[in-house]
Every structure is written in C-alpha cells, then in structure tokens.
Amino acid sequence: MAFHSMSRSRVVTLLAITAGILMSAAPTYGQESGDPIEVGSRKQLFIDNKFIESVDNVELVEWIPFEQLPDYIARASICLGGHFSAIPKAARVISTKTFQFVAMRKATIVGDNPAVREVFMHGKDVWAIPMNDSAALAAAIQLLVDDLDLRMRIAQGGYEVFQANFTPDAIAYQLKTIVEEARCTSVS
C-alpha cells in the first residue's frame, strides 16, 4: 500500500492496523480466513472498522504482476513476509515473498514458526513475531521504522542467509552433496 500526505508514524500505525484488521476480519467480508480480500472490500473494511473516515489518502494496490514485484520491493524499507495468520498452513511454511525480500536485502518481518526458525534467526536475519498477533506486528513495524541500524542489520543478515543457502549455486551444491552421500550409502 502507498500512503500520501501522512506523517511517518501515522503511516506505520495505519499499516499495522490494516494488517491486524485484515488478519481477523476476512470471514466478515465473505472470504475464508487467509484468502485475499478484494480492493473494494478492503476499502469498506477500513471504513467499517473506523480507523479511517475515507480512503482518499490511501492507495490500495491491486495484484502486482510477478515481473513488476522487484520494482515495488526496491522502494520498500520494510517488507512483511508473513505468514501471519492462524491458518494451519501458515505454521508450516516460509512464504515465497520472504525469500524475494531477503534476496533484495530488505528488512523483513515474518510470522514465527518452525520453518522460519529452521532457516532464519530472529533479530539477526528477520524480525519474527508471534502468529496471529496484530499488536506484535504493529510493534515490529514501529520498531523497524524507528531503528535504522537494526533495520539495516536485519536486511544484511537476511541477504547473507539467502546468498549462503538459496542462490542457484548454493542449491546446486546442496543437491550435489545429497546425491554424493546417497551414492556412498547405496554402494556400501
């Protein structure tokens, strides 16, 4: 989302409130929890929950084509990698967008789950928050907006994890090692 004519703290607050409301209100707007809410419904959701009176100063971005994502990510200071909701899938995976964000050296907030902890370290590579906790998301956004040094350290840490483990060369090396180990085991 892009915000116009708003102070930094107002933008952060609005982002955090939006995230919290969208996490909890999807069924009210005819969506199953975790499904995307269409732009028209999101605008009404904002007004119905009385955290904005109108959406005149809020730009809600439609679905962004994959090839345009790097341009949007490049302009961001903080990225929300998710998954943040309480749906079962969210507790088992790392979202693809998280890898996109850290590969572009962006400070990324993620939902804390076993998959995230297997790859990333909270406070070093990403900022992990409890699942389905909009207050924690709001606090994390505010913290990273206010602390440029932390934001830059997390961005660098995530980038280093990506470079070490998820580039094509790193994945090829890991696969080569697995295949070689499997050959040794099957010959013995």
PDB file of all heavy atoms in Angstrom, residues 67-99:
ATOM      1  N   GLU A  67       6.523  -9.969 -12.582  1.00  0.00           N
ATOM      2  CA  GLU A  67       7.680  -9.279 -13.162  1.00  0.00           C
ATOM      3  C   GLU A  67       7.822  -7.844 -12.656  1.00  0.00           C
ATOM      4  O   GLU A  67       8.889  -7.247 -12.776  1.00  0.00           O
ATOM      5  CB  GLU A  67       7.649  -9.317 -14.695  1.00  0.00           C
ATOM      6  CG  GLU A  67       6.454  -8.652 -15.330  1.00  0.00           C
ATOM      7  CD  GLU A  67       5.209  -9.544 -15.428  1.00  0.00           C
ATOM      8  OE1 GLU A  67       5.245 -10.710 -14.977  1.00  0.00           O
ATOM      9  OE2 GLU A  67       4.196  -9.051 -15.933  1.00  0.00           O
ATOM     10  N   GLN A  68       6.771  -7.275 -12.052  1.00  0.00           N
ATOM     11  CA  GLN A  68       6.843  -5.918 -11.506  1.00  0.00           C
ATOM     12  C   GLN A  68       7.192  -5.885 -10.015  1.00  0.00           C
ATOM     13  O   GLN A  68       7.485  -4.825  -9.464  1.00  0.00           O
ATOM     14  CB  GLN A  68       5.521  -5.187 -11.732  1.00  0.00           C
ATOM     15  CG  GLN A  68       5.210  -4.913 -13.183  1.00  0.00           C
ATOM     16  CD  GLN A  68       3.839  -4.273 -13.356  1.00  0.00           C
ATOM     17  OE1 GLN A  68       3.237  -3.791 -12.401  1.00  0.00           O
ATOM     18  NE2 GLN A  68       3.350  -4.274 -14.582  1.00  0.00           N
ATOM     19  N   LEU A  69       7.151  -7.032  -9.366  1.00  0.00           N
ATOM     20  CA  LEU A  69       7.418  -7.075  -7.926  1.00  0.00           C
ATOM     21  C   LEU A  69       8.771  -6.482  -7.534  1.00  0.00           C
ATOM     22  O   LEU A  69       8.846  -5.736  -6.547  1.00  0.00           O
ATOM     23  CB  LEU A  69       7.322  -8.504  -7.401  1.00  0.00           C
ATOM     24  CG  LEU A  69       5.919  -9.030  -7.154  1.00  0.00           C
ATOM     25  CD1 LEU A  69       5.965 -10.499  -6.758  1.00  0.00           C
ATOM     26  CD2 LEU A  69       5.193  -8.222  -6.104  1.00  0.00           C
ATOM     27  N   PRO A  70       9.853  -6.755  -8.254  1.00  0.00           N
ATOM     28  CA  PRO A  70      11.137  -6.184  -7.832  1.00  0.00           C
ATOM     29  C   PRO A  70      11.113  -4.656  -7.740  1.00  0.00           C
ATOM     30  O   PRO A  70      11.746  -4.089  -6.842  1.00  0.00           O
ATOM     31  CB  PRO A  70      12.116  -6.664  -8.919  1.00  0.00           C
ATOM     32  CG  PRO A  70      11.515  -7.935  -9.401  1.00  0.00           C
ATOM     33  CD  PRO A  70      10.028  -7.695  -9.364  1.00  0.00           C
ATOM     34  N   ASP A  71      10.378  -3.991  -8.614  1.00  0.00           N
ATOM     35  CA  ASP A  71      10.286  -2.529  -8.547  1.00  0.00           C
ATOM     36  C   ASP A  71       9.609  -2.073  -7.260  1.00  0.00           C
ATOM     37  O   ASP A  71      10.037  -1.117  -6.623  1.00  0.00           O
ATOM     38  CB  ASP A  71       9.526  -1.974  -9.755  1.00  0.00           C
ATOM     39  CG  ASP A  71      10.259  -2.209 -11.064  1.00  0.00           C
ATOM     40  OD1 ASP A  71      11.505  -2.297 -11.041  1.00  0.00           O
ATOM     41  OD2 ASP A  71       9.589  -2.309 -12.106  1.00  0.00           O
ATOM     42  N   TYR A  72       8.544  -2.756  -6.866  1.00  0.00           N
ATOM     43  CA  TYR A  72       7.841  -2.404  -5.632  1.00  0.00           C
ATOM     44  C   TYR A  72       8.703  -2.722  -4.408  1.00  0.00           C
ATOM     45  O   TYR A  72       8.780  -1.948  -3.465  1.00  0.00           O
ATOM     46  CB  TYR A  72       6.500  -3.145  -5.542  1.00  0.00           C
ATOM     47  CG  TYR A  72       5.420  -2.517  -6.384  1.00  0.00           C
ATOM     48  CD1 TYR A  72       5.298  -2.803  -7.738  1.00  0.00           C
ATOM     49  CD2 TYR A  72       4.516  -1.626  -5.827  1.00  0.00           C
ATOM     50  CE1 TYR A  72       4.305  -2.226  -8.507  1.00  0.00           C
ATOM     51  CE2 TYR A  72       3.520  -1.038  -6.581  1.00  0.00           C
ATOM     52  CZ  TYR A  72       3.426  -1.343  -7.933  1.00  0.00           C
ATOM     53  OH  TYR A  72       2.446  -0.758  -8.675  1.00  0.00           O
ATOM     54  N   ILE A  73       9.342  -3.879  -4.433  1.00  0.00           N
ATOM     55  CA  ILE A  73      10.188  -4.271  -3.306  1.00  0.00           C
ATOM     56  C   ILE A  73      11.349  -3.291  -3.146  1.00  0.00           C
ATOM     57  O   ILE A  73      11.699  -2.901  -2.032  1.00  0.00           O
ATOM     58  CB  ILE A  73      10.706  -5.716  -3.484  1.00  0.00           C
ATOM     59  CG1 ILE A  73       9.535  -6.701  -3.475  1.00  0.00           C
ATOM     60  CG2 ILE A  73      11.715  -6.075  -2.388  1.00  0.00           C
ATOM     61  CD1 ILE A  73       9.909  -8.108  -3.930  1.00  0.00           C
ATOM     62  N   ALA A  74      11.942  -2.879  -4.261  1.00  0.00           N
ATOM     63  CA  ALA A  74      13.086  -1.963  -4.209  1.00  0.00           C
ATOM     64  C   ALA A  74      12.739  -0.656  -3.518  1.00  0.00           C
ATOM     65  O   ALA A  74      13.591  -0.043  -2.870  1.00  0.00           O
ATOM     66  CB  ALA A  74      13.607  -1.707  -5.624  1.00  0.00           C
ATOM     67  N   ARG A  75      11.500  -0.220  -3.609  1.00  0.00           N
ATOM     68  CA  ARG A  75      11.089   1.053  -2.998  1.00  0.00           C
ATOM     69  C   ARG A  75      10.743   0.911  -1.518  1.00  0.00           C
ATOM     70  O   ARG A  75      10.539   1.905  -0.832  1.00  0.00           O
ATOM     71  CB  ARG A  75       9.889   1.627  -3.756  1.00  0.00           C
ATOM     72  CG  ARG A  75      10.225   2.033  -5.178  1.00  0.00           C
ATOM     73  CD  ARG A  75       9.128   2.855  -5.813  1.00  0.00           C
ATOM     74  NE  ARG A  75       7.846   2.194  -5.857  1.00  0.00           N
ATOM     75  CZ  ARG A  75       7.268   1.696  -6.954  1.00  0.00           C
ATOM     76  NH1 ARG A  75       7.891   1.772  -8.108  1.00  0.00           N
ATOM     77  NH2 ARG A  75       6.094   1.137  -6.903  1.00  0.00           N
ATOM     78  N   ALA A  76      10.670  -0.307  -1.023  1.00  0.00           N
ATOM     79  CA  ALA A  76      10.244  -0.543   0.358  1.00  0.00           C
ATOM     80  C   ALA A  76      11.416  -0.452   1.330  1.00  0.00           C
ATOM     81  O   ALA A  76      12.543  -0.789   0.993  1.00  0.00           O
ATOM     82  CB  ALA A  76       9.593  -1.916   0.473  1.00  0.00           C
ATOM     83  N   SER A  77      11.129  -0.005   2.539  1.00  0.00           N
ATOM     84  CA  SER A  77      12.120  -0.012   3.615  1.00  0.00           C
ATOM     85  C   SER A  77      11.961  -1.253   4.479  1.00  0.00           C
ATOM     86  O   SER A  77      12.931  -1.798   4.999  1.00  0.00           O
ATOM     87  CB  SER A  77      11.940   1.214   4.513  1.00  0.00           C
ATOM     88  OG  SER A  77      12.158   2.377   3.778  1.00  0.00           O
ATOM     89  N   ILE A  78      10.725  -1.687   4.640  1.00  0.00           N
ATOM     90  CA  ILE A  78      10.384  -2.843   5.468  1.00  0.00           C
ATOM     91  C   ILE A  78       9.402  -3.681   4.673  1.00  0.00           C
ATOM     92  O   ILE A  78       8.461  -3.141   4.088  1.00  0.00           O
ATOM     93  CB  ILE A  78       9.732  -2.409   6.796  1.00  0.00           C
ATOM     94  CG1 ILE A  78      10.680  -1.512   7.589  1.00  0.00           C
ATOM     95  CG2 ILE A  78       9.300  -3.618   7.616  1.00  0.00           C
ATOM     96  CD1 ILE A  78       9.990  -0.782   8.730  1.00  0.00           C
ATOM     97  N   CYS A  79       9.594  -4.989   4.672  1.00  0.00           N
ATOM     98  CA  CYS A  79       8.689  -5.880   3.953  1.00  0.00           C
ATOM     99  C   CYS A  79       8.029  -6.848   4.925  1.00  0.00           C
ATOM    100  O   CYS A  79       8.659  -7.305   5.880  1.00  0.00           O
ATOM    101  CB  CYS A  79       9.444  -6.642   2.875  1.00  0.00           C
ATOM    102  SG  CYS A  79      10.104  -5.595   1.563  1.00  0.00           S
ATOM    103  N   LEU A  80       6.774  -7.138   4.681  1.00  0.00           N
ATOM    104  CA  LEU A  80       6.023  -8.087   5.505  1.00  0.00           C
ATOM    105  C   LEU A  80       6.011  -9.429   4.791  1.00  0.00           C
ATOM    106  O   LEU A  80       5.269  -9.640   3.841  1.00  0.00           O
ATOM    107  CB  LEU A  80       4.602  -7.583   5.748  1.00  0.00           C
ATOM    108  CG  LEU A  80       4.480  -6.196   6.385  1.00  0.00           C
ATOM    109  CD1 LEU A  80       3.011  -5.833   6.585  1.00  0.00           C
ATOM    110  CD2 LEU A  80       5.246  -6.131   7.691  1.00  0.00           C
ATOM    111  N   GLY A  81       6.850 -10.337   5.262  1.00  0.00           N
ATOM    112  CA  GLY A  81       6.983 -11.628   4.619  1.00  0.00           C
ATOM    113  C   GLY A  81       5.884 -12.609   4.974  1.00  0.00           C
ATOM    114  O   GLY A  81       5.643 -13.545   4.243  1.00  0.00           O
ATOM    115  N   GLY A  82       5.231 -12.417   6.108  1.00  0.00           N
ATOM    116  CA  GLY A  82       4.164 -13.328   6.518  1.00  0.00           C
ATOM    117  C   GLY A  82       4.775 -14.666   6.917  1.00  0.00           C
ATOM    118  O   GLY A  82       5.955 -14.730   7.194  1.00  0.00           O
ATOM    119  N   HIS A  83       4.046 -15.652   6.850  1.00  0.00           N
ATOM    120  CA  HIS A  83       2.611 -15.716   7.045  1.00  0.00           C
ATOM    121  C   HIS A  83       2.312 -15.282   8.473  1.00  0.00           C
ATOM    122  O   HIS A  83       3.023 -15.651   9.388  1.00  0.00           O
ATOM    123  CB  HIS A  83       2.088 -17.130   6.822  1.00  0.00           C
ATOM    124  CG  HIS A  83       2.156 -17.599   5.410  1.00  0.00           C
ATOM    125  ND1 HIS A  83       1.249 -17.184   4.460  1.00  0.00           N
ATOM    126  CD2 HIS A  83       3.016 -18.401   4.761  1.00  0.00           C
ATOM    127  CE1 HIS A  83       1.524 -17.748   3.311  1.00  0.00           C
ATOM    128  NE2 HIS A  83       2.608 -18.485   3.458  1.00  0.00           N
ATOM    129  N   PHE A  84       1.214 -14.548   8.658  1.00  0.00           N
ATOM    130  CA  PHE A  84       0.910 -14.015   9.977  1.00  0.00           C
ATOM    131  C   PHE A  84      -0.352 -14.610  10.598  1.00  0.00           C
ATOM    132  O   PHE A  84      -0.565 -14.486  11.785  1.00  0.00           O
ATOM    133  CB  PHE A  84       0.741 -12.488   9.907  1.00  0.00           C
ATOM    134  CG  PHE A  84       1.989 -11.783   9.470  1.00  0.00           C
ATOM    135  CD1 PHE A  84       2.053 -11.130   8.258  1.00  0.00           C
ATOM    136  CD2 PHE A  84       3.117 -11.764  10.276  1.00  0.00           C
ATOM    137  CE1 PHE A  84       3.206 -10.480   7.854  1.00  0.00           C
ATOM    138  CE2 PHE A  84       4.280 -11.120   9.888  1.00  0.00           C
ATOM    139  CZ  PHE A  84       4.331 -10.477   8.668  1.00  0.00           C
ATOM    140  N   SER A  85      -1.198 -15.234   9.809  1.00  0.00           N
ATOM    141  CA  SER A  85      -2.499 -15.694  10.298  1.00  0.00           C
ATOM    142  C   SER A  85      -2.387 -17.004  11.069  1.00  0.00           C
ATOM    143  O   SER A  85      -1.315 -17.612  11.155  1.00  0.00           O
ATOM    144  CB  SER A  85      -3.468 -15.866   9.128  1.00  0.00           C
ATOM    145  OG  SER A  85      -3.099 -16.994   8.358  1.00  0.00           O
ATOM    146  N   ALA A  86      -3.524 -17.436  11.597  1.00  0.00           N
ATOM    147  CA  ALA A  86      -3.571 -18.661  12.392  1.00  0.00           C
ATOM    148  C   ALA A  86      -3.952 -19.878  11.549  1.00  0.00           C
ATOM    149  O   ALA A  86      -4.161 -20.948  12.097  1.00  0.00           O
ATOM    150  CB  ALA A  86      -4.573 -18.493  13.534  1.00  0.00           C
ATOM    151  N   ILE A  87      -4.052 -19.743  10.231  1.00  0.00           N
ATOM    152  CA  ILE A  87      -4.407 -20.908   9.427  1.00  0.00           C
ATOM    153  C   ILE A  87      -3.281 -21.939   9.511  1.00  0.00           C
ATOM    154  O   ILE A  87      -2.108 -21.583   9.640  1.00  0.00           O
ATOM    155  CB  ILE A  87      -4.732 -20.525   7.960  1.00  0.00           C
ATOM    156  CG1 ILE A  87      -3.535 -19.902   7.258  1.00  0.00           C
ATOM    157  CG2 ILE A  87      -5.944 -19.621   7.894  1.00  0.00           C
ATOM    158  CD1 ILE A  87      -3.738 -19.673   5.780  1.00  0.00           C
ATOM    159  N   PRO A  88      -3.602 -23.226   9.470  1.00  0.00           N
ATOM    160  CA  PRO A  88      -2.585 -24.265   9.671  1.00  0.00           C
ATOM    161  C   PRO A  88      -1.387 -24.163   8.726  1.00  0.00           C
ATOM    162  O   PRO A  88      -0.252 -24.365   9.140  1.00  0.00           O
ATOM    163  CB  PRO A  88      -3.359 -25.568   9.458  1.00  0.00           C
ATOM    164  CG  PRO A  88      -4.766 -25.217   9.840  1.00  0.00           C
ATOM    165  CD  PRO A  88      -4.951 -23.788   9.388  1.00  0.00           C
ATOM    166  N   LYS A  89      -1.620 -23.859   7.462  1.00  0.00           N
ATOM    167  CA  LYS A  89      -0.516 -23.768   6.503  1.00  0.00           C
ATOM    168  C   LYS A  89       0.514 -22.728   6.956  1.00  0.00           C
ATOM    169  O   LYS A  89       1.724 -22.920   6.778  1.00  0.00           O
ATOM    170  CB  LYS A  89      -1.046 -23.398   5.123  1.00  0.00           C
ATOM    171  CG  LYS A  89       0.048 -23.151   4.106  1.00  0.00           C
ATOM    172  CD  LYS A  89      -0.515 -22.628   2.797  1.00  0.00           C
ATOM    173  CE  LYS A  89       0.599 -22.183   1.884  1.00  0.00           C
ATOM    174  NZ  LYS A  89       0.107 -21.552   0.672  1.00  0.00           N
ATOM    175  N   ALA A  90       0.042 -21.642   7.540  1.00  0.00           N
ATOM    176  CA  ALA A  90       0.933 -20.550   7.941  1.00  0.00           C
ATOM    177  C   ALA A  90       1.960 -21.007   8.972  1.00  0.00           C
ATOM    178  O   ALA A  90       3.042 -20.438   9.059  1.00  0.00           O
ATOM    179  CB  ALA A  90       0.120 -19.385   8.494  1.00  0.00           C
ATOM    180  N   ALA A  91       1.645 -22.022   9.731  1.00  0.00           N
ATOM    181  CA  ALA A  91       2.552 -22.507  10.767  1.00  0.00           C
ATOM    182  C   ALA A  91       3.591 -23.482  10.230  1.00  0.00           C
ATOM    183  O   ALA A  91       4.474 -23.907  10.974  1.00  0.00           O
ATOM    184  CB  ALA A  91       1.751 -23.174  11.880  1.00  0.00           C
ATOM    185  N   ARG A  92       3.496 -23.831   8.924  1.00  0.00           N
ATOM    186  CA  ARG A  92       4.393 -24.859   8.384  1.00  0.00           C
ATOM    187  C   ARG A  92       5.344 -24.374   7.302  1.00  0.00           C
ATOM    188  O   ARG A  92       6.218 -25.137   6.879  1.00  0.00           O
ATOM    189  CB  ARG A  92       3.557 -25.992   7.794  1.00  0.00           C
ATOM    190  CG  ARG A  92       2.693 -26.742   8.769  1.00  0.00           C
ATOM    191  CD  ARG A  92       2.055 -27.959   8.121  1.00  0.00           C
ATOM    192  NE  ARG A  92       1.312 -27.663   6.911  1.00  0.00           N
ATOM    193  CZ  ARG A  92       0.008 -27.396   6.853  1.00  0.00           C
ATOM    194  NH1 ARG A  92      -0.701 -27.377   7.957  1.00  0.00           N
ATOM    195  NH2 ARG A  92      -0.584 -27.158   5.709  1.00  0.00           N
ATOM    196  N   VAL A  93       5.179 -23.163   6.813  1.00  0.00           N
ATOM    197  CA  VAL A  93       5.926 -22.753   5.620  1.00  0.00           C
ATOM    198  C   VAL A  93       6.575 -21.385   5.794  1.00  0.00           C
ATOM    199  O   VAL A  93       6.235 -20.622   6.693  1.00  0.00           O
ATOM    200  CB  VAL A  93       5.003 -22.716   4.376  1.00  0.00           C
ATOM    201  CG1 VAL A  93       4.404 -24.078   4.098  1.00  0.00           C
ATOM    202  CG2 VAL A  93       3.901 -21.668   4.547  1.00  0.00           C
ATOM    203  N   ILE A  94       7.509 -21.101   4.888  1.00  0.00           N
ATOM    204  CA  ILE A  94       8.057 -19.762   4.717  1.00  0.00           C
ATOM    205  C   ILE A  94       7.518 -19.275   3.383  1.00  0.00           C
ATOM    206  O   ILE A  94       7.653 -19.977   2.374  1.00  0.00           O
ATOM    207  CB  ILE A  94       9.597 -19.771   4.694  1.00  0.00           C
ATOM    208  CG1 ILE A  94      10.154 -20.366   5.986  1.00  0.00           C
ATOM    209  CG2 ILE A  94      10.140 -18.361   4.455  1.00  0.00           C
ATOM    210  CD1 ILE A  94      11.659 -20.602   5.950  1.00  0.00           C
ATOM    211  N   SER A  95       6.925 -18.110   3.364  1.00  0.00           N
ATOM    212  CA  SER A  95       6.338 -17.629   2.118  1.00  0.00           C
ATOM    213  C   SER A  95       7.413 -17.320   1.085  1.00  0.00           C
ATOM    214  O   SER A  95       8.528 -16.922   1.424  1.00  0.00           O
ATOM    215  CB  SER A  95       5.486 -16.374   2.381  1.00  0.00           C
ATOM    216  OG  SER A  95       6.322 -15.302   2.772  1.00  0.00           O
ATOM    217  N   THR A  96       7.071 -17.505  -0.170  1.00  0.00           N
ATOM    218  CA  THR A  96       7.986 -17.197  -1.267  1.00  0.00           C
ATOM    219  C   THR A  96       8.417 -15.745  -1.213  1.00  0.00           C
ATOM    220  O   THR A  96       9.586 -15.422  -1.452  1.00  0.00           O
ATOM    221  CB  THR A  96       7.308 -17.505  -2.616  1.00  0.00           C
ATOM    222  OG1 THR A  96       6.934 -18.881  -2.632  1.00  0.00           O
ATOM    223  CG2 THR A  96       8.231 -17.220  -3.781  1.00  0.00           C
ATOM    224  N   LYS A  97       7.488 -14.864  -0.866  1.00  0.00           N
ATOM    225  CA  LYS A  97       7.841 -13.446  -0.841  1.00  0.00           C
ATOM    226  C   LYS A  97       8.918 -13.149   0.202  1.00  0.00           C
ATOM    227  O   LYS A  97       9.712 -12.234   0.019  1.00  0.00           O
ATOM    228  CB  LYS A  97       6.608 -12.571  -0.633  1.00  0.00           C
ATOM    229  CG  LYS A  97       5.892 -12.771   0.685  1.00  0.00           C
ATOM    230  CD  LYS A  97       4.613 -11.961   0.743  1.00  0.00           C
ATOM    231  CE  LYS A  97       3.826 -12.293   1.985  1.00  0.00           C
ATOM    232  NZ  LYS A  97       2.585 -11.545   2.048  1.00  0.00           N
ATOM    233  N   THR A  98       8.989 -13.930   1.263  1.00  0.00           N
ATOM    234  CA  THR A  98      10.058 -13.734   2.240  1.00  0.00           C
ATOM    235  C   THR A  98      11.416 -13.911   1.566  1.00  0.00           C
ATOM    236  O   THR A  98      12.330 -13.095   1.766  1.00  0.00           O
ATOM    237  CB  THR A  98       9.909 -14.715   3.422  1.00  0.00           C
ATOM    238  OG1 THR A  98       8.693 -14.412   4.112  1.00  0.00           O
ATOM    239  CG2 THR A  98      11.081 -14.625   4.382  1.00  0.00           C
ATOM    240  N   PHE A  99      11.553 -14.941   0.755  1.00  0.00           N
ATOM    241  CA  PHE A  99      12.813 -15.162   0.048  1.00  0.00           C
ATOM    242  C   PHE A  99      13.086 -14.041  -0.952  1.00  0.00           C
ATOM    243  O   PHE A  99      14.231 -13.609  -1.115  1.00  0.00           O
ATOM    244  CB  PHE A  99      12.813 -16.526  -0.637  1.00  0.00           C
ATOM    245  CG  PHE A  99      12.830 -17.662   0.340  1.00  0.00           C
ATOM    246  CD1 PHE A  99      11.685 -18.390   0.598  1.00  0.00           C
ATOM    247  CD2 PHE A  99      13.989 -17.992   1.024  1.00  0.00           C
ATOM    248  CE1 PHE A  99      11.692 -19.435   1.506  1.00  0.00           C
ATOM    249  CE2 PHE A  99      14.011 -19.031   1.943  1.00  0.00           C
ATOM    250  CZ  PHE A  99      12.858 -19.757   2.188  1.00  0.00           C
TER     251      PHE A  99
END
